[in-house]
């Protein structure tokens, strides 16, 4: 691994410094923290109440309108699954590529992944008509002798999301073990107990490291194709359908790129306040941000290219339905959604070509938020607009408007996500201790170190 | 017969629990609640639980007198179907007929007699008390004016009322909101007879309608539609089909949609056009003239096309062309009615059209006099105005109203007049406007609960018998009258007595009587030939010309408002039936509220958008309606439907939109009729509403949803040709697709893919479909489809499994010349896109080729609907069966008409058409019991059964001899969106139109 | 692996987790090169079963110790194969158990089932990997006993523990000090 | 129809129920029930004993459940049917007479007893009785309803749940297409 200091980290940063700085983040929570947590829980309550209404009276409370039978809920589902992607990308793929800069940010990203999947997983359950029968989608032996239909992309989804949640969770836990051990050795009181248990008796012997680092490698190797597969499967929910605007072979790569794009944006959005709050400027440096920005730029360009492709093929195919669908998309009643998405996702990130902007954290923060919005609208456009705008049948078209129920559930999902995230960063090291150390130059004899 | 009623009483007891079960079980999760089982006391022979019994009776929703067969299960009437024996409707039925059930089980019926008490509100009263009261009132009103207002009653009941009135010295006024005064007056003008003729549409070779909406509500719509399609359809079941149909009217109505050509003549000039055509025919000797045609020369001289074309608003070549076509067709039939007969000069227009028929030699052949139509018997509007005057003058001491609602169709004036009447009695079993203003209510049985009959035309008597036990404490008005008259026996005896006299001579009434009556009842009536008699031109035709002249009245900015009868709500009597309210108007596709039709050019002038409210202010009243922009109306005309704007009449009708009758003149016109055209100012109110419409794109845009052929091209097609296959995938691709599909089907090794089972299919002939939407209501009735109400329908939540898509047929200027109506329902695809995406196999392919939907397995992911290119799957957003729920679709006792063979769907499940699978299974069970196969034609879907134009055929596609598979091979046949390789089971037969280059882009 | 033979099974679960203390010498180092040096010396001196503590994984240490490749990979492989076959069985058998035709597709259509197989491969692969790591580390911990673990080892100090009876201990101590240990403890 | 055919038969059985002298060799003898408390199944308004009627007196099921062979509904005997026999049959023991009196009273007051439903299917399942009788024969009732002929008080023997239906259909190699029962 990198023998010399990673660019951006000062020589003050020693093993000890790393351990203590990160351990400090677990210290007594500030008022600001509780305000944030309170806000998150409040949002969650809004969602829960809305859900109770939906269960009692039916999905009619949401804005659905024939033939728009999927709308905000599925939009949010895809949005959150997308968010979930950068985490595993940064922790697994970049790990395989041995890129040093990931170490400082991957823990946050990974936590984000887990909680985003947790959030996404709720939406399919909420959006089905008879939520109390969701378990019929699971292949369990039952009295009727019925099984789910494995030809349905929804079942693929179920398996993909389930696997993704499990794997990313264990991946997160694995990464945590040595760090929890490190914190354990500094902690006192109930936290000591907590970390003693959660560190599973980690002592950092050569044997432990030997199995651990190999295992971690294999996990990464498994997670990498998983990341790519999961959003491909999600995209197939649409690509397997014959709806014009859905039925496209480009969907898998297009969605994966989009997912990573939105994921990285979300990482920036989350990292910035944490960095400030916990004073991690020394560990999470502009260098890291710049790399994230570059990743955004890459994936963003892929997404932009995909947009162009879609419209080009719609024209090139000469298929009247396809053409109509995309004309409707751009100039129909939903033009505003479409153009929001195109501006936020395709044009805004072009600013990142400029190094000044790329290295300006505030600018990045703002851009990242716009990208998040843009990506949400991308899903909205793909799902709602494709269904609304004359899918084959000239007679069947409708204009759909979300209602309070849609927004309520969506707000709840954000509350749910941030609640978990905030709880995590206060109780577990939000930056990997051991891996940050790895990329530091190891202490050698004859080197003078300031203590 | 008497004990048959007793039977049904006990059946009803069981029926109620049954109905409970149907709904409860469907909306409850988990196990059934324990029910009580109530056995019969006496075992009815003609009822087997779980099996339907059929009773023949007569539909009284309008005066046409169609025969119906009521399907009764456990004492509940669950479906009405046309009676094949009836010469009127030949086993077919319209939406309004289907919806009669919702009148029977209407939750807003008057449950028992009521009397107005001291503080002006109604209170219940027992029958004896009520009749006592009435008897007293009659006694004191003797000589001070007793008037009985009834609907068009040409029936034994009418006779009885007349007999009784003679006794007590009163008079009867039978009133229809849309009278036929102009027809009678016009016929008198032309032929000196005031009777109504019968029109033989079926044998016409060229049909020219001057505003006559014979497919909407005019005279006998079902009969006319059946005849019309025989004449007009490409293969109407007779050699020379495809009679051209030209529609002359200021607005394109449901009838107009079937037209090959639309002549939007200036309102009131229809007669001029008719005479101009007659002039051409006579002057150019285009047809063999009747002897006395020469007498017309004088009259016609003033009507040379060149002279009148300007006034009519079309160029004279068109007039000449029409005249030539009409005369040379050798069977031209011109019909004047509807709008054309509701102008000031309506009578003259009728006369003019008569003359046109006369010179073309159609009178006597296609237009037969002699069989006076029942509705004709209605009194004129003048009579009603006179009555109103009498009432105002206090010359009416006792007013009895039965089967009419003048307070709604003659609002304001009549309402006030009612106040001045001594005592007002209503026999209506609904709290309509008139009833609400009465002092005493003696609710009559619903026609399906009562004995009675109707004489739609001379020679035909349609019988009415009770099919169910009365739902409420109502009593047959006939019986009440008999009691008042102090006569013994029930009305049933009275009616059957009359029926006995109908039997042919030579048989002694006493002996054969009962048997004769019984036989007739099983057939639904006595159907004899109508007498015909020849007519000659009236001695003096001088009156025609002057009355024809139309002087424009009203100031410049005044608009011409045309008030037309709503195709299903008619004069408003249908407004209390949710099925009819939720049924989109066939032309505008607007439901639950009324509207004003505005031409886009006019709208552009006023900066008006669809949904903006227009305030129409005539001399007589003002009302505001949301605008609907359409090219199907003349730019200088605004059209408004009647039907809505009730201030009473139950939860479904009350306070909906506005009452168009308010705008109309309160005085009778020259010929004693009512003028439905009025000058009014139109002003934007600035208000706006989202109109409740199911309309998607009004143009089909060549998407392959509907196909249209020119008649010559269609005739040139030989069997085996397939002109629409270019719609399919290109040759190279289709080969691959075919091959792949075949491999797959072999691999499936199941069901109809191996041809062992039937493959149920449908053939729909678009050249027959008129868009009347009877099939839609039939589907609602058969399949327990929930009505969702106005605000949900506004959000596109309607559940109509079968919808009619109306795409305009336009001429080269993009002006509509008519429309193609395409019934869109589940296509039961062979390669159904909806199936593989369902995660729980709720949607799957049955061995007999149905695209089944297992409601109780569905979890409601709605993926199937997304993946359905036809968009014919509908989702239960709420629990529409929830007792007392906000969106309850079947409030007691409406739930009594739920079909026990069909599951009532729960909240959160997808539902759709499955070709009436319950009927298929029923037939299969029966066949199995009799150890035979299912015969072709044995299974009839609800939509097919009711279709008045016989456009739908159901059967087994795997059976080469079945009618449907033969039709599927028709060269006109095509599959909707065939390019998707969904292999639909429904074959559409292309619409055929007269002009050679049809455009529906 | 001669060491592998010296693996007695744990007497109890508890014992499995924290092994009985073994007599030996613990050296604490703060410099990487120093500990590498120490490792070399120890191995030269014929010590084989000593334990090295480090706050981070360093391949230098692994090289110096010359350890064999971790057996975890076998777990992953087997798990993956098992998962794949389970996925195949699920989708194929369940489709065959109640055959229903959807969209005119064959009852057993492989392409869609590949997705299921793939996901199951990943899932089981990952889970067995975790299992592998836990078990291996567990038995390793059991095999080499331990004394007074020093909390600094997870922070910034390296350490070596050499199991040695009182006879050898002195030699080891000097060896470690020679290699540059900050402190040396005897236990 | 069924009714008319069965009438003389009924009379016969009515008599036999009376006469103790009839040779009851292989005939099932209904037990005397002293305490109805511990009988399985729900209590009915009238303690109607299937074991006596169907078992001991061997009245065929179709005699009372007259439409099972022709309709999806098995049909519930009308009081008239009961009275067909119980005009004459008054019951041997006091307890029987008491129950039969209830029937006669009900008939007099023209008020049918409200039986408690035992076998209930959910509203979304169609069970055509006639198809099953057609295949299994008139004796086939027991397949689902158990040996009613020996039940003093009828109770539900089969689960009537989908798995149970399907198992039988699979064993007998008849269709298990969903839309046969669910529509």
């Amino acid at each position: 691994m990198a023998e010399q200091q990673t660019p951006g980290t000062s020589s003050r940063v020693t093993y000890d410094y790393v351990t203590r700085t990160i351990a400090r983040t677990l210290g007594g929570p500030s008022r600001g923290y509780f305000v944030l947590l309170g806000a998150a829980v409040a949002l969650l309550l809004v969602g829960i109440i809305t859900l109770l209404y939906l269960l009692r009276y039916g999905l009619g409370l949401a804005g659905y309108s024939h033939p728009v039978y999927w709308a905000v809920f599925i939009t949010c589902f895809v949005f959150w699954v997308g968010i979930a992607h950068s985490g595993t990308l940064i922790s697994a793929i970049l790990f395989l590529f041995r890129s040093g800069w990931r170490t400082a940010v991957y823990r946050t990203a990974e936590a984000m992944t887990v909680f985003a999947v947790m959030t996404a997983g709720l939406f399919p359950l909420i959006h089905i008509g008879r939520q109390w029968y969701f378990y019929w989608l699971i292949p369990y032996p039952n009295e009727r002798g019925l099984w789910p239909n494995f030809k349905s992309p929804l079942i693929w989804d179920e398996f993909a999301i389930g696997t993704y949640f499990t794997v990313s969770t264990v991946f997160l836990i694995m990464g945590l073990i040595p760090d929890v051990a490190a914190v354990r050795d500094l902690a006192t009181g109930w936290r000591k107990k907590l970390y003693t248990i959660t560190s599973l008796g980690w002592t950092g012997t050569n044997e432990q490291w030997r199995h651990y680092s190999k295992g971690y490698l294999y996990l990464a190797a498994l997670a990498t194709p998983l990341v790519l597969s999961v959003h491909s499967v999600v995209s197939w929910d649409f690509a397997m359908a014959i709806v014009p605007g859905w039925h496209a072979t480009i969907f898998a790569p297009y969605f994966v790129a989009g997912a990573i794009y939105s994921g990285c944006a979300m990482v920036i959005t989350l990292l910035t306040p944490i960095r400030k709050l916990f004073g991690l400027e020394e560990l999470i440096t502009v260098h890291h941000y710049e790399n994230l920005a570059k990743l955004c730029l890459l994936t963003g360009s892929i997404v932009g290219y995909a947009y162009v492709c879609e419209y080009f093929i719609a024209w090139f195919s000469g298929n009247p339905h396809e053409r109509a669908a995309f004309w409707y998309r751009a100039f129909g009643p939903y033009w505003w959604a479409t153009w929001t998405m195109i501006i936020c996702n395709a044009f805004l990130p072009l600013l990142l070509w400029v190094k000044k902007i790329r290295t300006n954290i505030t600018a990045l923060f703002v851009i990242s938020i716009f990208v998040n919005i843009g990506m949400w609208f991308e899903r909205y456009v793909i799902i709602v607009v494709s269904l609304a705008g004359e899918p084959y049948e000239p007679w069947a078209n409708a204009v759909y408007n979300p209602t309070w129920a849609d927004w309520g559930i969506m707000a709840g999902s954000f509350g749910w996500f941030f609640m978990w995230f905030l709880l995590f960063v206060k109780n577990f090291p939000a930056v990997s201790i051991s891996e940050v150390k790895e990329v530091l130059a190891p202490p050698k004899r004859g080197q003078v170190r300031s203590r | 017969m008497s004990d048959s009623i007793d039977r049904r009483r006990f059946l009803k007891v069981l029926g109620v629990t049954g109905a409970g079960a149907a709904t409860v079980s469907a909306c409850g999760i988990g196990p059934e609640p324990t029910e009580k089982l109530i056995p019969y006391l006496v075992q009815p022979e003609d009822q087997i639980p779980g099996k339907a019994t059929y009773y023949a009776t007569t539909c009284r929703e309008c005066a046409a007198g169609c025969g119906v067969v009521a399907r009764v299960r456990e004492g509940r009437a669950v479906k009405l179907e046309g009676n094949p024996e009836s010469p009127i409707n030949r086993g077919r039925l319209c939406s309004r007929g289907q919806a009669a059930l919702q009148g029977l089980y209407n939750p807003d019926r008057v449950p028992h007699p009521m009397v107005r008490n001291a503080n002006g509100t109604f209170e219940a009263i027992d029958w004896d008390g009520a009749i006592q009261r009435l008897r007293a009132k009659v006694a004191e009103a003797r000589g001070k004016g007793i008037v009985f207002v009834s609907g068009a009653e040409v029936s034994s009941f009418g006779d009885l009322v007349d007999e009784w009135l003679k006794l007590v010295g009163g008079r009867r006024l039978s009133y229809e909101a849309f009278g036929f005064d102009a027809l009678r007056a016009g016929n008198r003008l032309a032929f000196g007879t005031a009777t109504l003729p019968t029109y033989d549409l079926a044998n016409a070779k060229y049909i020219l309608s001057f505003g006559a909406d014979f497919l909407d509500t005019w005279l006998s719509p079902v009969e006319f539609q059946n005849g019309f399609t025989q004449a007009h359809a490409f293969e109407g079941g007779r050699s020379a089909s495809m009679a051209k149909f030209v529609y002359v009217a200021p607005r394109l109505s449901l009838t107009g949609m079937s037209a090959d050509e639309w002549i939007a003549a200036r309102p009131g000039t229809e007669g001029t056009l008719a005479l101009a055509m007659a002039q051409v025919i006579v002057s150019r000797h285009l047809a063999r003239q009747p002897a006395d045609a020469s007498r017309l020369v004088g009259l016609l001289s003033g009507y040379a096309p060149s002279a009148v074309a300007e006034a009519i608003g079309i160029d004279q070549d068109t007039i000449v062309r029409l005249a030539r076509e009409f005369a040379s067709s050798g069977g031209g039939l011109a019909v004047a009615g509807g709008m054309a007969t509701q102008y000031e000069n309506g009578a003259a227009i009728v006369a003019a059209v008569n003359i046109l028929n006369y010179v073309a030699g159609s009178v006597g052949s296609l237009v037969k006099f002699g069989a006076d139509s029942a509705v004709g018997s209605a009194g004129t509007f003048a009579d009603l105005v006179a009555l109103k005057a009498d009432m105002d003058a206090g010359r009416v001491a006792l007013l009895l109203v039965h089967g009419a609602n003048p307070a709604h169709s003659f609002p304001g004036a009549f309402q006030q007049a009612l106040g001045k009447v001594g005592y007002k009695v209503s026999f209506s079993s609904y709290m309509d406007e008139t009833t609400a203003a009465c002092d005493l209510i003696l609710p009559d049985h619903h026609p399906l609960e009562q004995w009675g009959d109707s004489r739609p035309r001379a020679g035909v008597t349609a019988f009415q018998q009770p099919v169910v036990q009365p739902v409420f404490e109502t009593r047959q008005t006939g019986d009440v009258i008999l009691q008042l008259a102090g006569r013994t026996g029930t009305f049933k005896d009275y009616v059957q007595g009359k029926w006995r006299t109908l039997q042919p001579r030579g048989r002694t009434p006493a002996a054969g009587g009962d048997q004769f009556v019984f036989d007739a009842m099983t057939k639904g009536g006595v159907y004899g030939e109508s007498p015909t008699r020849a007519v000659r031109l009236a001695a003096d035709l001088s009156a025609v010309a002057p009355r024809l002249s139309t002087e424009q009245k009203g100031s410049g900015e005044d608009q011409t408002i045309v008030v037309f009868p709503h195709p299903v709500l008619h004069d408003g009597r249908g407004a209390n039936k949710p099925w009819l309210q939720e049924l989109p108007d066939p032309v505008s596709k607007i439901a639950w509220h009324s509207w004003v039709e505005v031409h886009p050019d006019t709208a552009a002038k006023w900066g008006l958008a669809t949904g903006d409210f227009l305030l129409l202010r005539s001399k007589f009243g003002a009302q505001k309606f949301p605008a609907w922009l359409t090219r199907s109306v003349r730019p200088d005309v605004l059209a408004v439907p009647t039907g809505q704007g009730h201030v009473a009449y139950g939860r479904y009708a009350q306070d909906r939109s506005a009452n168009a009758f308010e705008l109309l003149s309160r005085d009778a016109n020259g010929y004693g009729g009512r003028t439905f055209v009025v000058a009014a100012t139109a002003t934007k109110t600035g208000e706006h509403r989202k109109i409740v419409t199911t309309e998607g794109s009004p143009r089909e845009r060549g998407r392959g949803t509907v196909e249209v052929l020119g008649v010559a091209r269609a005739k040139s097609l030989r069997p085996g040709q397939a002109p629409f296959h270019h719609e399919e995938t290109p040759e190279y691709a289709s080969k691959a697709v075919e091959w792949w599909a075949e491999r797959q089907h072999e691999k499936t090794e199941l069901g109809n893919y191996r041809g062992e089972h039937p493959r149920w299919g449908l053939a729909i002939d678009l050249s027959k479909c008129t868009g009347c939407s009877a099939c839609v209501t039939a589907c609602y009735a058969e399949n327990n489809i929930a009505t969702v109400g106005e605000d949900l329908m506004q959000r596109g939540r309607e559940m109509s499994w079968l919808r009619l898509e109306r795409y305009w047929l336009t001429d080269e200027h993009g002006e509509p010349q008519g429309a193609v109506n395409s019934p869109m329902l589940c296509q039961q695809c062979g390669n159904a896109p909806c199936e593989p995406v369902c995660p729980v196999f709720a949607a799957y392919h049955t061995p007999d080729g149905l695209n089944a939907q297992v409601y109780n397995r569905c979890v409601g992911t709605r993926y199937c609907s997304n993946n359905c290119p036809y968009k014919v799957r509908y989702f239960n957003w709420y629990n529409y069966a929830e007792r007392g729920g906000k969106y309850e679709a079947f409030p007691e006792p409406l739930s009594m008409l739920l079909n026990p063979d069909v599951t009532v769907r729960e909240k959160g499940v997808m539902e759709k058409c499955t070709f009436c699978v319950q009927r298929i299974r029923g037939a299969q069970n029966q066949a199995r019991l009799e150890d035979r196969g299912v015969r072709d034609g044995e299974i009839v879907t609800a939509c097919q059964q009711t279709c008045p134009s016989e456009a739908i055929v159901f059967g087994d596609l795997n059976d080469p001899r079945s009618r449907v598979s033969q039709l599927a091979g028709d060269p006109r046949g095509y599959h909707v969106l065939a390019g998707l390789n969904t292999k639909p089971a429904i074959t559409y037969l292309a619409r055929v139109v007269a002009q050679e280059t049809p455009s529906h882009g | 692996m001669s060491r592998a033979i010296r693996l007695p099974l744990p007497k109890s679960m508890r014992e499995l987790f924290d092994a009985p203390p073994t007599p030996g010498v613990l050296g604490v180092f703060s410099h990487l090169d120093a500990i590498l040096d120490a490792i070399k010396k120890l191995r030269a001196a014929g010590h084989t079963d000593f334990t090295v503590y480090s706050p981070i994984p360093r391949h230098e240490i692994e090289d110096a110790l010359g350890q064999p490749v971790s057996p975890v990979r076998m777990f992953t492989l087997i798990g993956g194969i098992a998962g794949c076959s389970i996925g195949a069985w699920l989708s194929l058998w369940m489709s065959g158990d109640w055959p229903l035709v959807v969209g005119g597709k064959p009852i057993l259509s492989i392409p869609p089932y590949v997705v299921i197989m793939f996901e199951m491969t990943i899932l089981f692969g990952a889970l067995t990997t975790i299992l592998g790591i836990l078990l291996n580390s567990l038995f390793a911990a059991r095999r080499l006993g331990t004394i007074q673990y020093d909390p600094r080892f997870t922070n910034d100090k390296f350490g070596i523990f050499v199991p040695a009876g009182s006879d050898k201990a002195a030699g080891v101590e000097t060896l470690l000090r020679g290699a540059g240990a900050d402190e040396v403890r005897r236990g | 129809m069924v009714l008319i055919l069965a009438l003389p038969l009924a009379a016969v059985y009515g008599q036999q129920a009376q006469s103790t002298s009839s040779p009851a060799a292989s005939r099932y003898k209904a037990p005397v029930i002293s305490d109805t408390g511990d009988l399985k199944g729900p209590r009915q308004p009238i303690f109607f004993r299937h074991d006596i009627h169907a078992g001991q007196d061997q009245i065929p099921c179709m005699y009372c459940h007259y439409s099972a062979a022709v309709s999806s509904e098995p049909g519930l005997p009308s009081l008239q049917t009961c009275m067909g026999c119980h005009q004459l049959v008054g019951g041997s023991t006091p307890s029987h007479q008491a129950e039969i009196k209830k029937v006669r009273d009900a008939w007099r007051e023209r008020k049918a007893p409200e039986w408690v439903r035992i076998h209930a299917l959910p509203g979304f399942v169609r069970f055509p009785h006639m198809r099953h009788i057609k295949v299994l024969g008139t004796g086939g009732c027991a397949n689902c309803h158990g040996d009613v002929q020996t039940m003093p008080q009828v109770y539900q023997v089969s689960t009537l749940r989908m798995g149970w239906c399907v198992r039988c259909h699979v064993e007998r190699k008849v269709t298990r297409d969903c839309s046969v029962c669910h529509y």
Side-chain angles (χ1 to χ4, degrees), chain B residues 593-596 611-614 624-628 657 689 691:
Chain B
H593 65 83
S594 131
W595 67 93
V596 53
D612 291 351
F613 274 90
L614 265 188
K624 52 181 175 20
F625 301 88
W628 176 57
S657 200
R689 72 161 290 166
I691 62 169

Side-chain angles (χ1 to χ4, degrees), chain B residues 637-686:
Chain B
V637 169
L638 303 179
V640 186
T642 60
Q644 300 285 15
H646 284 275
V647 295
Y649 205 34
R651 68 191 76 175
Y652 297 108
Q654 210 159 341
D655 309 325
R656 279 193 189 291
S657 200
N659 182 357
F661 284 110
E662 294 273 4
L663 301 171
L664 298 176
S665 162
R666 289 148 189 206
D667 304 316
N669 53 24
Y671 53 86
R674 188 174 195 177
T675 309
F676 283 82
V677 179
V678 63
T681 59
T683 47
K684 262 179 84 173
T685 65

Side-chain angles (χ1 to χ4, degrees), chain D:
Chain D
M1 189 57 194
V2 183
L3 184 105
I4 295 142
L5 285 184
L7 257 170
L9 193 75
V12 174
Y13 285 126
Q15 301 307 340
Q16 285 177 345
Q18 286 288 59
S19 59
T20 48
S21 61
S22 63
S26 64
R27 174 82 54 83
Y28 165 86
K29 195 85 188 72
V32 179
I33 308 281
S34 52
D35 166 31
T36 59
D38 55 2
L39 287 175
K40 274 214 241 156
R43 264 325 253 288
Q44 299 289 2
I46 299 174
F47 181 42
F48 173 85
R49 292 189 55 177
H50 275 86
D51 62 343
I52 293 182
H53 293 78
Q56 183 170 292
D57 303 345
Q58 294 193 352
I59 302 173
C61 312
M62 300 290 154
Y63 175 56
C64 297
H65 304 287
Y66 51 92
S67 62
V70 293
S71 162
S72 56
E73 300 295 321
L76 208 55
S78 66
L79 260 186
Q80 194 184 34
T81 316
C82 308
M83 292 307 289
C85 303
H86 287 292
Q87 292 287 11
L88 317 165
V89 184
S92 44
T93 72
S95 58
H96 290 186
Q97 286 155 351
E99 296 301 326
I100 291 168
K101 186 171 179 307
K102 288 186 194 166
V103 182
R104 291 176 168 170
D105 294 348
W107 176 250
R108 203 177 310 108
E109 294 151 17
R110 323 267 313 149
K111 191 180 173 314
E114 298 194 354
W115 302 107
V116 178
R117 183 168 195 155
I118 298 168
H119 296 88
L121 283 174
F124 48 70
V125 185
R126 315 276 154 210
F127 181 83
H129 270 87
M130 66 282 201
R131 289 288 299 261
H132 293 81
I133 302 288
K134 173 88 178 170
V135 176
L136 305 171
T138 50
C141 313
N143 290 18
C144 310
H145 294 287
D147 188 6
V148 174
Q149 291 167 328
T150 63
M151 295 182 192
Q153 185 165 274
V154 176
Y155 52 90
Q156 184 173 340
V157 286
S158 359
T159 65
L160 298 191
R161 300 185 60 191
M162 180 173 160
W164 172 81
C165 301
V166 171
R167 221 168 293 118
C168 189
H169 273 235
V170 172
E171 281 163 11
R172 295 173 186 273
K173 300 204 168 28
V174 291
T175 177
R176 52 171 167 162
D177 170 37
C178 318
S179 76
V180 167
C181 311
H182 299 298
Y183 51 81

Side-chain angles (χ1 to χ4, degrees), chain B residues 255-352:
Chain B
T255 309
M257 288 199 299
S258 301
D260 299 295
E261 188 175 354
W262 175 35
I263 305 291
R266 184 165 289 121
T269 60
E270 287 86 345
T272 320
L273 174 58
L275 285 185
M277 288 174 65
Q279 195 272 347
V280 175
I281 295 173
V282 172
S283 59
R284 309 193 185 182
H285 303 288
L286 297 174
R288 217 166 90 306
Q289 310 291 330
D292 53 357
S294 53
R295 291 178 37 224
L296 291 164
V297 177
L299 168 65
L300 296 178
S301 57
Y303 289 94
S306 52
V308 295
E310 179 57 37
I312 300 168
I314 58 174
D315 55 359
Q316 48 179 311
D317 314 355
T318 318
I319 300 177
V320 175
R321 176 170 58 82
L322 288 175
R324 286 189 176 289
E325 290 177 359
F326 187 74
S328 59
S329 67
L333 169 61
V335 188
M339 207 58 251
T341 61
Q342 293 161 352
Y343 303 120
E344 293 283 348
N345 61 347
I349 290 174
V350 174

Side-chain angles (χ1 to χ4, degrees), chain A residues 124-125 128 130-144 146-148 155 158, chain B residues 29-30 839-840 856-857 859, chain D residues 161:
Chain A
L125 303 188
I128 62 173
R130 299 201 291 177
Q131 295 91 342
W132 50 93
Y133 284 140
F134 74 92
Y135 58 87
W136 282 358
L137 274 71
I138 302 162
Y140 71 102
N142 56 54
E143 185 268 347
R144 304 173 212 86
L146 292 170
W147 305 109
I155 296 292
E158 173 193 327
Chain B
I29 311 164
V840 291
N856 48 309
R857 177 66 172 169
V859 295
Chain D
R161 300 185 60 191

Side-chain angles (χ1 to χ4, degrees), chain A residues 66-67 328 387-391 393-399, chain B residues 695-697 701:
Chain A
H66 187 86
Y328 182 88
L387 288 173
E390 185 206 304
E393 257 279 301
W395 194 257
N397 55 21
V399 170
Chain B
E695 184 178 29
S697 155
R701 304 214 218 89

